[in-house]
């Protein structure tokens, strides 16, 4: 865990151009390559929280009370396991904002001779930047990274409305997704309870302060 980290690095500096990930996803697609000229594809960095990473994820799902401190804890935890976590982002060069992201989780299996399976999670492109092939760019690059890490397949879950998008990226319908929601326990439940209590107290104070 990184909770004991002694000093936080400066997160305000823009991403260096050399951090970009090399991808063959645009080969044979000159039109898409031209459209992507204004973007940089690279791995997630510490400073990306300040470049709109949380609001971007919020276009996909509920991010909850994700503070910069908690973001850095998760980031540093993942950095310790580059063989298991690969998060890509796309930065819009002119605004220095993160406008796309996707994550590959690598699972070591006992089956298939102890091979690996890649799980694609948290795929989202900022609404104003859709339609230029950024999602395909992310998915093609993650597929390359999965292959390099020894994955024999890459799988993901998606809404039915997004099936055509993933089919364009080479995915095909397979099996059925099932889900079990687990109630929070321990520290998570306590933290959630404190947040609700604080919110209610603030609300009561606001009501009492009204004339």
């Amino acid at each position: 865990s990184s909770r004991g980290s002694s000093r936080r690095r400066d997160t305000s500096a823009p991403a260096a151009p050399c951090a970009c990930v090399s991808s063959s996803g645009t080969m044979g697609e000159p039109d898409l390559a031209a459209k992507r000229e204004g973007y940089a594809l690279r791995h997630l960095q510490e400073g990306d929280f300040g470049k709109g990473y949380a609001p971007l994820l919020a276009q996909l799902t509920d991010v909850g009370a994700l503070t910069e401190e908690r973001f850095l804890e998760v980031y540093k935890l993942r950095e310790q396991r580059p063989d298991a976590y690969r998060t890509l982002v796309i930065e819009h060069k002119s605004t220095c904002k993160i406008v796309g992201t996707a994550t590959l989780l690598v699972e070591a299996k006992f089956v298939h001779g102890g091979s690996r399976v890649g799980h694609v999670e948290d795929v989202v492109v900022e609404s104003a930047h859709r339609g230029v092939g950024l999602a395909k760019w992310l998915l093609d690059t993650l597929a390359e990274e999965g292959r390099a890490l020894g994955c024999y397949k890459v799988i993901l879950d998606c809404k039915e409305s997004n099936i055509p998008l993933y089919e364009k990226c080479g995915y095909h319908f397979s099996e059925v997704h099932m889900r079990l929601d687990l109630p929070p326990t321990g520290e998570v439940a306590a933290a959630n309870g404190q947040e609700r209590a604080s919110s209610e107290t603030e609300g009561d104070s606001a009501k009492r302060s009204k004339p």
Side-chain angles (χ1 to χ4, degrees):
S1 173
S2 59
R3 292 179 184 272
S5 178
S6 59
R7 185 171 62 181
R8 180 182 303 173
R9 283 183 284 173
D10 180 18
T11 61
S12 60
C18 61
C20 296
V21 176
S22 175
S23 171
S24 60
T26 59
M27 293 182 63
E29 300 173 347
D31 291 340
L32 284 180
K35 290 178 181 178
R36 296 170 184 169
E37 281 297 318
Y39 303 90
L41 173 66
R42 57 176 174 79
H43 290 106
L44 181 70
Q45 298 176 355
E46 286 191 27
D48 289 338
F49 185 86
K51 294 184 176 183
Y53 187 68
L56 173 65
L57 288 177
Q59 294 192 25
L60 175 68
T61 188
D62 177 22
V63 297
L66 181 65
T67 63
E68 183 174 9
E69 180 181 11
R70 180 56 182 156
F71 167 83
L72 290 174
E73 288 176 352
V74 176
Y75 172 83
K76 291 174 181 177
L77 178 66
R78 290 185 173 195
E79 282 290 282
Q80 297 173 14
R81 291 293 310 275
D83 60 325
Y85 297 97
R86 295 291 177 92
T87 296
L88 297 178
V89 297
I90 294 178
E91 181 173 348
H92 187 227
K93 294 179 181 178
S94 64
T95 62
C96 293
K97 290 293 185 182
I98 302 302
V99 298
T101 186
T103 293
L104 177 71
L105 307 178
V106 179
E107 176 192 5
K109 307 284 287 187
F110 288 109
V111 298
H112 290 273
S115 189
R116 296 178 175 182
V117 172
H119 300 263
V120 173
E121 292 280 350
D122 301 336
V123 181
V124 59
V125 172
E126 208 278 332
S127 57
H129 296 268
R130 293 171 188 170
V132 295
L134 299 187
K136 189 176 189 304
W137 196 9
L138 287 164
L139 292 166
D140 286 351
T141 307
L142 283 185
E144 292 178 7
E145 297 213 359
R147 185 179 296 109
L149 289 168
C151 296
Y152 73 92
K153 69 177 179 180
V154 175
I155 59 178
L156 59 80
D157 297 317
C158 72
K159 297 178 180 178
E160 288 190 25
S161 58
N162 288 333
I163 289 178
L165 166 65
Y166 292 109
E167 287 180 334
K168 290 179 181 178
C169 299
Y171 288 79
H172 61 272
F173 185 82
S174 176
E175 303 176 348
V176 177
H177 164 85
M178 301 294 290
R179 168 173 167 165
L180 173 65
D181 292 324
L182 302 175
T185 59
E187 294 182 3
V188 176
N192 290 341
Q194 290 174 359
E195 290 178 4
R196 286 195 297 270
S198 175
S199 176
E200 291 172 358
T201 301
E202 291 174 358
D204 290 342
S205 298
K207 291 178 181 178
R208 287 195 296 270
S209 65
K210 289 183 179 181

